[in-house]
């Protein structure tokens, strides 16, 4: 998990209560989750399927009478399921940008065809959620407690009463482990895991990973720094908790590691630096958080940033700090890093 994201943990308990108005009436109208309010478009295959169960990364097993068709998911998880042919009815999390386009975390989803329950942190319309007659909620978790990502603390109990939840962990493990779990979940939900585009993506992932391994081995002195920017601070991510960085490190990439571990609520995910001290670490290549919540490199105006050797050399690329957990979406990230290391000059 990256800096900008973890910094928000301290705000989990501040969700306004206004969104809960009228919830009781909505819950009553929805009954026990039958498909009265728009939930009757389940596929024939799902309707005819036998019992469905899935044990998630919290150790929680969800059991249903049939494969769920009314799925609501965190945007990134929904984007991954989409790549495997599993469609969701509703999403929550960064989905639509200010200009109405799909957020980077939405992947290839057609966001006009899903109900957006919340687009920013601590925003989740429980009323809209109820009207979807949800059968399961799917998201990720970034801690060992199994906290459901982007499910507001203030309304989590009301949300939990409407449908069971499934969480895929992206905490303190390598990317491949999380990819495998999302694959298993998609397969259980009826995804076509033998489709050519799916099997091809997995093969390309393996090829890209091998390319990165070779690039790192051939260029062991190239120091890579994972960063994220805000108007006030620059964050240097450590590699011990983020699934992508852990994986890249295992492939041999030489990373800058924060020398000072952040205290709660960041939990050691990153080190915070003032812009005056942004040159604290020497790096030849910088990979920057590409989420819309982070300031993008082109918009950074601080002179100290522009003076960094890697910036002056044009050795800055993007990084998906919250990878969409499909092989197809991870391939470009790995290929870009491999190419950048292959071409990078020692400047730090």
């Amino acid at each position: 998990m990256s800096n900008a994201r973890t910094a928000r943990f301290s705000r989990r308990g501040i969700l306004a209560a206004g969104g809960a108005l009228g919830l009781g009436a909505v819950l009553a109208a929805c009954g026990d989750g039958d498909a009265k309010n728009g939930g009757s478009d389940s596929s024939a295959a799902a309707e005819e399927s036998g019992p469905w169960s899935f044990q998630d990364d919290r150790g929680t097993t969800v059991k249903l009478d049939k494969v769920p068709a009314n799925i609501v998911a965190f945007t990134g998880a929904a984007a991954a399921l989409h790549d495997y042919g599993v469609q969701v009815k509703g999403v929550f999390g960064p989905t639509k940008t200010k200009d109405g386009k799909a957020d980077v975390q939405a992947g290839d989803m057609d966001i006009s065809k899903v109900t957006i329950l919340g687009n920013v942190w601590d925003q989740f319309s429980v009323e809209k959620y109820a009207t979807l007659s949800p059968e399961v909620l799917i998201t990720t978790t970034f801690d060992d407690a199994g906290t459901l990502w982007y499910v507001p603390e203030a309304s989590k109990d009301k949300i939990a009463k409407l449908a069971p939840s499934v969480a895929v962990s992206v905490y303190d493990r390598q990317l491949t482990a999380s990819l495998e779990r999302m694959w298993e979940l998609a397969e259980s939900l009826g995804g076509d895991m033998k489709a050519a585009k799916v099997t091809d993506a997995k093969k390309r992932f393996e090829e890209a990973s091998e390319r990165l391994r070779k690039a790192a081995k051939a260029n062991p002195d190239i120091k890579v720094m994972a960063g994220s920017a805000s108007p006030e601070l620059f964050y240097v991510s450590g590699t011990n908790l983020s699934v992508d960085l852990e994986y890249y490190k295992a492939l041999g990439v030489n990373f800058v590691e924060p020398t000072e571990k952040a205290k709660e609520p960041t939990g050691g995910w990153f080190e915070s630096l003032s812009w005056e001290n942004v040159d604290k670490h020497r790096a030849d290549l910088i990979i920057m958080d590409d989420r819309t919540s982070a300031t993008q490199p082109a918009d950074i105006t601080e002179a100290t940033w522009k003076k960094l050797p890697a910036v002056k050399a044009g050795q800055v690329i993007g990084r998906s700090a919250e990878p969409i957990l499909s092989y197809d979406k991870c391939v470009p990230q790995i290929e870009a890093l491999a190419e950048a290391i292959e071409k990078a000059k020692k400047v730090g």
Side-chain angles (χ1 to χ4, degrees), residues 211-222:
R211 178 183 176 183
L212 179 56
R213 187 194 303 276
K214 290 179 178 178
K217 184 176 182 179
N219 301 276
D221 294 331
I222 296 299

Side-chain angles (χ1 to χ4, degrees), residues 278-299:
V278 73
D279 60 352
K280 176 179 179 179
H281 301 288
R282 295 287 182 176
D284 305 296
L285 172 64
I286 304 175
I287 57 176
M288 291 291 288
D289 185 349
D290 70 356
R291 293 171 302 168
T292 51
S293 59
T295 302
Q296 296 306 300
D299 299 320

Side-chain angles (χ1 to χ4, degrees), residues 156-220:
K156 66 177 184 179
D157 292 340
K158 294 171 184 174
I159 293 169
K161 291 179 180 179
L162 290 166
S165 60
V166 167
V168 174
S169 179
V170 283
Y171 175 72
D172 196 19
R173 64 196 60 201
Q174 291 185 26
L175 177 61
T176 44
S178 297
L179 282 168
E180 289 168 4
R181 290 297 283 148
M182 186 60 76
W183 175 287
E184 293 168 0
L185 176 57
E187 186 174 36
S188 77
L189 292 170
D192 186 357
M193 317 314 284
K194 295 182 179 180
K197 65 178 182 179
V198 172
T199 57
D200 176 66
K202 192 170 185 180
K203 181 180 179 181
R204 288 188 291 111
F205 176 88
E206 294 166 352
E207 293 171 346
S209 297
E210 183 58 26
R211 178 183 176 183
L212 179 56
R213 187 194 303 276
K214 290 179 178 178
K217 184 176 182 179
N219 301 276

Side-chain angles (χ1 to χ4, degrees), residues 89-227:
K89 293 192 68 175
V91 296
F92 55 95
T95 307
K96 182 185 295 185
T97 60
K98 292 180 179 179
D99 59 4
K101 296 181 180 179
D103 189 274
V104 64
Q105 291 185 256
D108 292 333
M109 279 195 303
D110 183 345
I111 61 173
S112 69
K113 295 183 178 180
V114 294
T115 298
I116 301 175
L117 305 177
N119 200 56
V120 298
W121 184 258
D122 261 354
Q123 184 184 84
F124 190 116
S125 174
V126 185
E127 291 84 359
K128 283 186 179 180
Y129 181 53
T131 62
L132 294 177
S133 298
E135 295 172 289
V136 67
L137 179 148
I138 297 172
T139 187
T140 50
T141 182
F142 283 89
D143 58 35
D144 54 10
T147 305
L148 298 179
W149 190 233
Y150 263 81
V151 172
E153 182 71 20
S155 54
K156 66 177 184 179
D157 292 340
K158 294 171 184 174
I159 293 169
K161 291 179 180 179
L162 290 166
S165 60
V166 167
V168 174
S169 179
V170 283
Y171 175 72
D172 196 19
R173 64 196 60 201
Q174 291 185 26
L175 177 61
T176 44
S178 297
L179 282 168
E180 289 168 4
R181 290 297 283 148
M182 186 60 76
W183 175 287
E184 293 168 0
L185 176 57
E187 186 174 36
S188 77
L189 292 170
D192 186 357
M193 317 314 284
K194 295 182 179 180
K197 65 178 182 179
V198 172
T199 57
D200 176 66
K202 192 170 185 180
K203 181 180 179 181
R204 288 188 291 111
F205 176 88
E206 294 166 352
E207 293 171 346
S209 297
E210 183 58 26
R211 178 183 176 183
L212 179 56
R213 187 194 303 276
K214 290 179 178 178
K217 184 176 182 179
N219 301 276
D221 294 331
I222 296 299
K223 202 78 171 178
V224 180
M225 179 165 67

Side-chain angles (χ1 to χ4, degrees), residues 244-271:
D244 61 329
L245 301 184
E246 282 205 24
Y247 183 56
Y248 302 158
K249 181 173 64 174
L251 292 175
V253 176
N254 184 8
F255 279 102
V256 167
E257 295 290 356
T259 54
E260 297 178 9
K261 294 299 183 183
K263 297 180 180 180
E264 293 295 337
T266 61
W269 287 89
F270 58 87
E271 176 184 8

